[in-house]
Amino acid sequence: MSELLNHIRTRPRGEWPQLLRRELPALAAGIAKELRDSIPGISAHVADIDDEVVNQHVESALLTALGNHEPPTAGQGEGSTRGRDAHEGPLASLNAIPSQRSKARPERARRELFTALTSDSHPSEQALAELSGAARWPLPDFVRAIALTSPGEAQHLAARMDGALAGMVCGQPCLLLPTADPGARTELAKALRGRSAAVGHPVPPRDTASSQRWAVRLLNLIPTPSAPDARAVFVDDHLSALMLLQDEHLAHALAARRLRPLADLTPRQSERLEDTLLAWLEGGGAPEAAKALSVHPQTVRYRMRQLEKLFGPDLREPRTRFELEMALRTRRLMAQVQQQQSRGPRRSRAVTGEIQQPQDAARTARVNGL
């Protein structure tokens, strides 16, 4: 405050309003933050008040301390003492400063628009159109949500990416990026290179919450490589995996029910027969399964005879085969994710990269549906 006053007093009086217009908002925000951080009880007292409102009150108090008084309130005549005081004092020209609310209103509207778009309540088209107009953010045809690892990254990228909205959803920093072409992503991948990020599927604005939810889900499934190896992953590339893993309790229940005939085998026997069964279900025959597994077709036929004894006629029933394939893929995916997450510590909500594929990449990609 003293530095600001000294700076003001070194300038001609006519420049005071311009200096304050430029410097006072940042000073008020800094004071508000210091009050929250250093005085017990302040944070709890203002927890439910918008930061912008708190900053405006601090700014108003600073103006009053500088000799500028509030303009007349409703019900006060222009000739009242308070009305006259508003044009007196050493900083009378401060009344020429436009209200900071007019400057802050679009920013607040952008925050409200971000909240509305990422809400599961599905706001009406009219409500979104009104918020869009106030925020000066034309509603695009499609939106991609981008889940990131830190608020600082979100703000930095929002400044670089034209039209992006930055915000937090349940503590998770995210960007909302207008997308004219749902299939275009080369430039986006380039902009996110070296960062831990997951990019949601392109959706109409009213479905933004879905894009954001699945981006966060993917971000939390994948281990974190260190920069510069980090790169963005796209929900589009992992749709089947996300569908299979969206409810792990149901996935475990399905696997336990459909793979119960393998429960009495040793882990090695079970793994070998699961691999064979999945390759057979996917390939449609022993030669195709043998090629995928890099074994002799006769080996596949021998294992399939074992499986037919264990599963009986259900192995030929279409619905059972479909659920068996789902159970096998899901079990493999869950084991893969668990193995990769146990390789090292992960940052909270900070994951990136693809679900890494073990040694036979082509086969694993086909088996897992990635």
Side-chain angles (χ1 to χ4, degrees):
M1 183 69 169
S2 298
E3 292 178 1
L4 178 58
L5 284 173
N6 290 334
H7 182 49
I8 288 174
R9 287 167 179 160
T10 63
R11 310 299 299 170
R13 182 180 291 267
E15 296 182 10
W16 290 4
Q18 290 77 15
L19 287 170
L20 280 172
R21 185 182 298 115
R22 185 172 65 246
E23 303 290 344
L24 203 56
L27 177 62
I31 291 175
K33 182 179 185 302
E34 185 67 22
L35 288 172
R36 290 190 187 93
D37 295 344
S38 60
I39 300 179
I42 287 288
S43 294
H45 185 67
V46 300
D48 297 329
I49 304 176
D50 190 273
D51 288 349
E52 179 191 330
V53 175
V54 175
N55 294 349
Q56 287 174 356
H57 279 287
V58 174
E59 187 175 336
S60 177
L62 290 174
L63 287 170
T64 301
L66 290 170
N68 185 61
H69 301 282
E70 293 291 335
T73 58
Q76 287 183 307
E78 292 183 8
S80 69
T81 302
R82 186 169 182 176
R84 289 192 301 271
D85 287 344
H87 302 283
E88 297 173 359
L91 296 181
S93 58
L94 292 181
N95 285 302
I97 301 177
S99 169
Q100 290 298 322
R101 295 180 183 179
S102 62
K103 181 179 179 180
R105 191 174 295 116
E107 287 303 316
R108 180 166 185 171
R110 286 168 73 90
R111 291 197 296 270
E112 292 176 349
L113 178 60
F114 179 95
T115 300
L117 288 169
T118 54
S119 170
D120 286 322
S121 60
H122 293 292
S124 67
E125 297 287 351
Q126 181 180 353
L128 285 180
E130 290 175 357
L131 282 174
S132 169
R136 302 172 188 170
W137 196 81
L139 288 175
D141 292 332
F142 296 95
V143 174
R144 280 189 187 269
I146 305 173
L148 297 161
T149 60
S150 72
E153 282 188 323
Q155 295 297 334
H156 177 72
L157 285 169
R160 288 178 52 193
M161 295 179 174
D162 186 35
L165 292 180
M168 303 284 287
V169 183
C170 298
Q172 175 71 55
C174 292
L175 287 180
L176 304 183
L177 188 67
T179 303
D181 181 2
R185 64 189 220 184
T186 302
E187 291 302 317
L188 178 55
K190 188 183 300 183
L192 295 172
R193 186 176 299 158
R195 300 178 184 274
S196 299
V199 183
H201 53 304
V203 294
R206 289 190 73 249
D207 297 327
T208 300
S210 173
S211 181
Q212 186 271 338
R213 181 170 58 253
W214 290 113
V216 172
R217 174 63 169 155
L218 180 59
L219 192 65
N220 284 313
L221 277 177
I222 304 171
T224 308
S226 58
D229 296 328
R231 59 192 177 94
V233 287
F234 288 76
V235 166
D236 295 337
D237 297 333
H238 300 279
L239 291 172
S240 63
L242 288 168
M243 287 181 65
L244 291 173
L245 294 177
Q246 64 177 309
D247 191 316
E248 293 186 20
H249 294 289
L250 277 178
H252 281 296
L254 176 64
R257 177 170 181 263
R258 282 303 179 194
L259 302 178
R260 188 178 296 120
L262 305 177
D264 294 333
L265 303 179
T266 66
R268 184 172 181 179
Q269 289 174 328
S270 178
E271 181 181 2
R272 185 167 58 239
L273 290 182
E274 284 182 21
D275 287 345
T276 302
L277 179 56
L278 185 54
W280 179 77
L281 288 168
E282 187 176 63
E288 293 80 5
K291 185 176 181 180
L293 296 171
S294 299
V295 299
H296 195 278
Q298 193 60 32
T299 301
V300 174
R301 293 187 182 96
Y302 170 74
R303 294 177 185 174
M304 286 306 303
R305 285 194 293 271
Q306 290 180 290
L307 287 164
E308 286 173 352
K309 290 179 181 179
L310 291 168
F311 286 91
D314 287 345
L315 205 57
R316 303 291 176 178
E317 206 274 321
R319 177 175 176 178
T320 301
R321 287 164 59 120
F322 174 71
E323 292 187 357
L324 276 170
E325 187 171 353
M326 287 180 60
L328 290 165
R329 290 190 180 198
T330 304
R331 176 172 283 187
R332 185 184 292 273
L333 276 171
M334 289 190 294
Q336 184 182 350
V337 170
Q338 183 178 5
Q339 179 186 16
Q340 292 178 355
Q341 290 180 349
S342 65
R343 288 177 182 172
R346 297 167 60 220
R347 291 192 296 256
S348 176
R349 297 183 177 271
V351 284
T352 190
E354 285 189 345
I355 296 179
Q356 296 181 0
Q357 300 172 358
Q359 298 170 359
D360 189 349
R363 170 179 166 266
T364 305
R366 186 172 62 255
V367 168
N368 288 345
L370 298 177

